[in-house]
């Protein structure tokens, strides 16, 4: 009889537990799953937000396959990500090596200072740099004119390479501290006995880091690569605030998320914007799988 009472009590506890997790699943269904399903549904429709939805079959995707601006936006997103991710990762690896193998006073302060830019909203940072560089009366131009620099004031945002490079720099500046913290977290999981054995065998700190630390934190590096790639291909805030949402000059910083936003909320073509969203999702999935496979293959070779 006691066993039966215990099992009934356990069942009641289980039912009560479902009540506690129900709000999460309800929120996920409404704000997570439903928008995804509805976006896929809209990608097969024509809708301007006011008139009735009309099905168009695969026309949106056929248009997407021929859309040169879509391919340009993908290239812009990927290029900006590569230009900021490589120095971001190199900076994180160098800083993590210094913090791990060198005794530095106030190391916690430097870690917090490097991480601080990540706490600022991207839109605020983009607006700040827009105020610094945009126009003859910008802060940087005012300083250059005061210093008597020949040719000042400059039209910085008329240069495609400068604008694209500035977006990559901002992304590097905002995220290298976060990447450093994650890399150092991965390093802390390594058993110190491994380092002690390497030092006993006569390995230098550089050899220890290259041949022991880096291979052992490969899962952390894979995680950072894939999550950074996903975030980079969805880049929106910084280039949108720098170029007033147009991606100028000459669409040099028009990312796929900006193109999607412009099609949906400026041109009121929600069906085609949904198709762009599905296309972007497919591209991110393919690139993520490719990155994961490449990292695994490199790890097996080493």
């Amino acid at each position: 009889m006691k066993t039966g009472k215990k099992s009934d009590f356990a069942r009641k506890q289980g039912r009560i537990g479902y009540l506690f997790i129900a709000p999460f699943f309800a929120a996920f269904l409404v704000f997570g799953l439903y928008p995804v399903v509805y976006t896929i549904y809209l990608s097969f429709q024509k809708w301007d937000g006011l008139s009735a939805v009309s099905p168009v079959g695969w026309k949106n995707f056929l248009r997407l396959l021929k859309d040169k601006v879509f391919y340009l936006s993908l290239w812009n997103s990927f290029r900006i990500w590569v230009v900021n991710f490589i120095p971001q990762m190199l900076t994180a690896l160098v800083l993590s090596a210094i913090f791990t193998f060198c005794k530095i006073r106030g190391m916690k302060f430097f870690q917090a200072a490097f991480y601080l830019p990540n706490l600022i909203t991207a839109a605020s940072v983009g607006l700040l740099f827009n105020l610094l560089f945009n126009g003859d009366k910008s802060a940087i131009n005012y300083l250059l004119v005061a210093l008597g620099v020949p040719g000042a004031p400059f039209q910085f945002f008329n240069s495609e390479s400068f604008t694209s490079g500035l977006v990559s720099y901002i992304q590097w500046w905002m995220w290298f501290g976060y990447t450093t913290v994650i890399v150092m977290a991965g390093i802390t999981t390594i058993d110190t006995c491994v380092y002690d054995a390497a030092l006993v065998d006569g390995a230098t700190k550089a050899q220890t880091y290259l041949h022991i630390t880096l291979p052992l934190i490969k899962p952390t590096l894979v995680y950072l690569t894939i999550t950074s790639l996903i975030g980079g291909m969805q880049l929106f805030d910084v280039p949108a605030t720098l170029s007033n949402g147009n991606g100028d000059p000459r669409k040099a910083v028009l990312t796929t998320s900006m193109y999607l936003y412009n099609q949906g909320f400026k041109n009121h073509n929600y069906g085609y914007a949904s198709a762009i969203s599905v296309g972007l999702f497919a591209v991110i999935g393919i690139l993520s799988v490719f990155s994961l496979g490449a990292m695994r293959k490199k790890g097996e070779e080493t």
Side-chain angles (χ1 to χ4, degrees):
M1 292 295 294
K2 290 183 179 180
T3 304
K5 290 181 179 179
K6 286 183 179 180
S7 61
D8 292 338
F9 180 72
R11 287 196 207 97
K12 290 179 180 179
Q13 279 189 321
R15 294 188 190 119
I16 294 173
Y18 285 120
L19 292 177
F20 282 103
I21 64 175
F24 165 78
F25 284 102
F28 171 75
L29 290 173
V30 174
F31 300 106
L33 184 61
Y34 172 74
V36 173
V37 174
Y38 191 64
T39 298
I40 297 173
Y41 164 76
L42 275 184
S43 65
F44 295 96
Q45 314 296 321
K46 181 180 179 181
W47 186 47
D48 60 4
L50 295 175
S51 59
V53 177
S54 59
V56 293
W58 294 92
K59 286 185 178 180
N60 287 328
F61 291 100
L62 293 175
R63 174 184 171 184
L64 187 66
L65 293 175
K66 301 176 183 178
D67 191 347
K68 294 182 179 179
V69 179
F70 173 69
Y71 292 117
L72 175 63
S73 69
L74 285 175
W75 167 244
N76 288 339
S77 302
F78 185 74
R79 185 191 69 248
I80 291 171
W81 172 75
V82 170
V83 174
N84 92 80
F85 178 72
I86 293 176
Q88 180 189 139
M89 186 62 75
L90 291 176
T91 305
L93 292 175
V94 171
L95 289 176
S96 63
I98 294 173
F99 289 146
T100 301
F101 295 106
C102 301
K103 293 182 179 179
I104 300 176
R105 287 185 177 182
M107 185 177 70
K108 297 295 183 182
F109 167 78
F110 287 110
Q111 289 178 346
F114 292 149
Y115 187 82
L116 187 61
N118 189 250
L119 301 178
I120 307 172
T121 59
S124 301
V125 175
L127 182 60
L128 171 64
F129 278 86
N130 192 321
L131 295 174
L132 287 175
F133 289 96
N134 192 15
D136 294 342
K137 302 298 182 181
S138 64
I140 298 299
N141 270 324
Y142 183 82
L143 179 62
L144 294 176
V145 170
L147 293 174
V149 175
F154 300 102
Q155 297 298 323
F156 292 104
F157 290 151
N158 282 345
S159 170
E160 299 175 30
S161 57
F162 176 85
T163 308
S164 178
L166 183 61
V167 174
S168 295
Y169 169 77
I170 293 172
Q171 290 297 111
W172 167 84
W173 177 70
M174 290 187 63
W175 288 97
F176 83 92
Y178 167 85
T179 306
T180 302
V181 171
I182 298 299
V183 171
M184 291 191 65
I187 293 175
T188 57
T189 62
I190 301 175
D191 193 342
T192 55
C193 295
V194 179
Y195 292 120
D196 295 337
L199 293 174
V200 170
D201 290 338
T204 63
K205 290 182 179 180
Q207 291 173 332
T208 302
Y209 189 77
L210 291 173
H211 301 291
I212 295 178
T213 303
L214 291 183
L216 290 178
I217 63 171
K218 194 190 80 168
T220 302
L221 300 181
V222 171
Y223 165 79
L224 286 171
T225 301
I226 294 177
T227 54
S228 178
L229 176 61
I230 293 172
M233 294 303 294
Q234 298 179 79
L235 180 62
F236 177 81
D237 309 67
V238 173
T241 51
L242 281 180
S243 64
N244 297 319
N246 298 318
D248 293 328
R250 293 167 290 280
K251 296 184 173 59
V253 292
L254 179 69
T255 64
T256 310
S257 294
M258 290 173 60
Y259 186 46
L260 185 160
Y261 176 87
N262 291 341
Q263 285 292 329
F265 295 99
K266 289 186 177 181
N267 299 339
H268 304 290
N269 193 347
Y270 294 101
Y272 187 57
S274 299
I276 295 173
S277 179
V278 174
L280 177 61
F281 173 78
V283 171
I284 290 175
I286 293 170
L287 290 177
S288 299
V289 171
F290 177 78
S291 300
L292 181 60
M295 295 288 285
R296 283 181 174 176
K297 185 177 180 181
K298 185 177 179 181
E300 291 174 358
E301 290 177 353
T302 56

